[in-house]
Amino acid sequence: MSIKTFNQMCDLAQQKDIFYLTYGKITQHILHSVVVTAKNGVYNSHTDQKYSNSQTDSLTYIAIEMIQNVNKYRQDVEHGNHDLFLITTDDNITISTSNLSSKENKESISKSIDLLNSLDKKELRQYSREVMKQDSGNDNSAGLGLIEIARLSKHKIEYSFNQYAHDDNLFHFNMSVSL
Amino acid sequence: MKDINIEKTVSSPEIISSYKHKTITIKGESYPENPFKFYEPLIEFIKEFIKIETSLLLSVELNYYNSSSTKVLYDMFDILDDSDLRVNIKWIYNESDELSLENGEDYIEDYPDLNIELVKI
């Protein structure tokens, strides 16, 4: 599955089995709601089998990082809020977010994700340790949250940027990971 | 020294210190919006503690914690590692939590002098 645009993500939400969906401003309160909901059990919508505790743990960790990333890097606009958070469950658990992002963030996020996608699991773990041991405030590394997302995801992080409302400086940033 | 007693919330752990027994316990979930601000009282407590004490037992049991919380723990372990304190750390993790196990193993490798013990529950 490849997330291309915000509209395609909305289409996906209608096609696939939704475990969790929220649209609007994603808050810390919503994050807590996701954590509590996941604790109650996550089920494969095709087989009705419960995903393992290990998969549920990974889902929760990824949700925490993705939602807090949206909160940290979201670009606010005058009219409305464009955050979207979606978890679908079928053969894989897929966690997706969409939010508005600035042009400056577009370049740094792309660079970070491309770097992380080039590393294998062992390299990601080592990279995470190196970044954790650096002094706080070092801007030359992929964000801690993105690193943890990459470590926990079964596949590469999928992402796209789509221009928002003919504004050269504003983009929908769409990200998706699968377990 | 005044002990710390921070109550647990939905996104932050309980933190309890006992100056008398030379213990600190961190337990719960840790994904506050600003972990650096949340853990600041504990960091300050530790900085004072290491000036006057000789040993510490730190117990950490976190279920679901964000990467910034992991970073704060690294910063905390740096302070302990640089001190003359005799430190024992219990890293308590859930059997299904592979990330927590890996983090515990990494802490053991990065801080061999802190006597970190992995405790599986």
Side-chain angles (χ1 to χ4, degrees):
Chain A
M1 177 201 68
S2 179
I3 301 297
K4 298 291 184 199
T5 67
F6 174 77
N7 287 338
Q8 286 178 325
M9 200 178 290
C10 291
D11 288 343
L12 186 75
Q14 291 175 41
Q15 292 163 21
K16 294 247 184 185
D17 291 290
I18 301 169
F19 173 76
Y20 200 100
L21 169 66
T22 184
Y23 175 67
K25 187 166 185 176
I26 297 178
T27 62
Q28 187 78 351
H29 176 74
I30 286 173
L31 171 53
H32 174 63
S33 162
V34 173
V35 172
V36 167
T37 305
K39 274 185 196 174
N40 287 332
V42 187
Y43 294 81
N44 183 313
S45 56
H46 290 177
T47 64
D48 278 339
Q49 284 218 317
K50 195 176 177 190
Y51 286 102
S52 68
N53 289 342
S54 180
Q55 285 173 301
T56 304
D57 285 345
S58 294
L59 179 161
T60 306
Y61 276 117
I62 288 175
I64 288 170
E65 298 298 344
M66 285 177 91
I67 288 176
Q68 291 191 326
N69 264 357
V70 168
N71 272 327
K72 195 171 170 185
Y73 296 111
R74 155 204 307 121
Q75 192 72 22
D76 288 320
V77 291
E78 271 179 32
H79 31 273
N81 191 285
H82 297 265
D83 297 346
L84 184 146
F85 178 74
L86 169 66
I87 302 175
T88 57
T89 56
D90 42 39
D91 294 330
N92 296 310
I93 299 173
T94 303
I95 308 141
S96 306
T97 56
S98 179
N99 60 274
L100 289 181
S101 177
S102 67
K103 190 175 181 180
E104 291 72 30
N105 279 341
K106 176 183 181 227
E107 283 155 17
S108 66
I109 290 170
S110 297
K111 193 175 165 190
S112 295
I113 295 179
D114 289 343
L115 166 64
L116 296 174
N117 279 344
S118 73
L119 305 176
D120 63 27
K121 290 297 173 195
K122 198 172 164 185
E123 288 166 335
L124 281 167
R125 183 174 172 178
Q126 183 56 30
Y127 184 60
S128 175
R129 281 170 79 179
E130 286 166 12
V131 173
M132 289 288 179
K133 286 191 281 188
Q134 286 171 359
D135 288 334
S136 298
N138 185 315
D139 293 328
N140 294 328
S141 53
L144 295 174
L146 277 176
I147 300 173
E148 298 303 89
I149 291 167
R151 277 179 78 178
L152 291 160
S153 175
K154 204 170 162 181
H155 306 288
K156 305 290 181 194
I157 297 174
E158 294 181 5
Y159 75 99
S160 66
F161 285 91
N162 309 107
Q163 194 171 20
Y164 171 75
H166 307 292
D167 186 335
D168 286 345
N169 294 311
L170 215 52
F171 297 85
H172 271 298
F173 167 54
N174 314 304
M175 180 165 71
S176 189
V177 296
S178 291
L179 300 173
Chain B
M1 273 189 74
K2 197 178 169 193
D3 275 322
I4 293 178
N5 194 338
I6 300 173
E7 284 185 8
K8 177 178 156 178
T9 71
V10 295
S11 59
S12 61
E14 161 188 89
I15 302 179
I16 297 176
S17 72
S18 168
Y19 176 66
K20 182 179 169 187
H21 296 110
K22 317 290 180 256
T23 61
I24 296 172
T25 301
I26 305 171
K27 184 174 179 179
E29 297 181 359
S30 183
Y31 52 94
E33 283 186 278
N34 189 341
F36 299 99
K37 188 176 172 188
F38 171 75
Y39 283 100
E40 196 177 347
L42 175 59
I43 298 291
E44 291 309 308
F45 176 89
I46 288 173
K47 284 180 178 174
E48 290 306 308
F49 189 92
I50 61 176
K51 288 178 189 172
I52 52 181
E53 285 303 324
T54 57
S55 68
L56 170 68
L57 172 60
L58 170 63
S59 174
V60 183
E61 184 181 347
L62 295 176
N63 311 307
Y64 305 134
Y65 48 99
N66 58 10
S67 51
S68 297
S69 295
T70 306
K71 172 63 182 157
V72 168
L73 289 172
Y74 263 102
D75 291 346
M76 195 184 305
F77 293 167
D78 275 343
I79 295 170
L80 293 172
D81 198 40
D82 287 342
S83 73
D84 294 325
L85 210 60
R86 193 171 64 250
V87 180
N88 288 285
I89 298 175
K90 284 189 189 296
W91 181 258
I92 303 166
Y93 68 100
N94 204 294
E95 191 175 4
S96 65
D97 192 340
E98 292 169 12
L99 181 65
S100 203
L101 170 60
E102 285 184 0
N103 284 339
E105 288 171 343
D106 291 344
Y107 289 138
I108 288 173
E109 209 171 302
D110 291 333
Y111 301 101
D113 293 335
L114 291 185
N115 301 311
I116 301 171
E117 178 194 356
L118 299 179
V119 179
K120 182 168 68 174
I121 55 170

